[in-house]
Amino acid sequence: PDCKIHWMYGEEFFSSVKLSMFTTFRFMIGDYSTRNGKSLSVVFSQEYGDPFHFCFCAGMITVMFGLFNIITAIFVDTTVSGLKHNDVKRKYALQYKRQYVGSKLKQVVHRIQRLLTDMRDEETQSTVF
């Protein structure tokens, strides 16, 4: 017969845009197998030859070095900016804590001074009578 295996696989995995996109996604994550366990990349390589080799290699290089690198860069940038934001919040919290403790310490000192003054006043009043 005239029915070649790569045409059958082409119809099975690339017959519609939706199937083509799904098959391309499977290629990006490294799944090249058919339902029977045969490798699509090997079948297409044997039947289509160098044009397939070039397109396949260019696509895989673009996906691996291009797309995944961009995704990783976005992730790293988000993480670093989140850490910077946390550091700024931590600095403000530390400043607030210092100011809070300082103000409370001043209140305690004023209270002690007032108590000491009151005690001295009471002593002087009790000695006068």
Side-chain angles (χ1 to χ4, degrees):
D2 250 359
C3 187
K4 297 186 178 183
I5 189 77
H6 64 284
W7 288 350
M8 286 176 32
Y9 285 138
E11 269 301 308
E12 183 178 352
F13 292 102
F14 295 97
S15 61
S16 69
V17 174
K18 186 168 65 171
L19 273 175
S20 297
M21 289 174 65
F22 182 68
T23 304
T24 304
F25 173 74
R26 286 181 51 209
F27 274 20
M28 284 192 290
I29 60 172
D31 180 18
Y32 310 113
S33 61
T34 64
R35 290 186 181 106
N36 298 331
K38 292 185 179 182
S39 175
L40 282 174
S41 60
V42 171
V43 170
F44 289 154
S45 173
Q46 289 172 348
E47 298 298 327
Y48 289 113
D50 288 338
F52 175 77
H53 296 150
F54 177 76
C55 291
F56 185 77
C57 289
M60 289 297 108
I61 288 171
T62 301
V63 167
M64 287 182 190
F65 293 117
L67 183 64
F68 292 151
N69 194 12
I70 289 171
I71 291 170
T72 304
I74 290 171
F75 175 74
V76 168
D77 184 53
T78 303
T79 304
V80 168
S81 66
L83 289 174
K84 284 180 184 177
H85 181 68
N86 282 348
D87 285 345
V88 169
K89 285 177 75 173
R90 197 173 304 132
K91 277 183 182 179
Y92 283 134
L94 186 61
Q95 281 180 339
Y96 177 75
K97 189 185 288 183
R98 284 181 186 159
Q99 290 174 351
Y100 180 77
V101 169
S103 69
K104 289 298 180 182
L105 188 59
K106 283 180 185 178
Q107 288 176 0
V108 167
V109 168
H110 289 305
R111 175 88 174 165
I112 292 172
Q113 285 176 343
R114 211 171 334 136
L115 288 172
L116 287 175
T117 306
D118 291 345
M119 285 174 51
R120 284 188 199 135
D121 288 345
E122 286 178 10
E123 284 178 12
T124 55
Q125 285 179 358
S126 64
T127 56
V128 171
F129 295 117

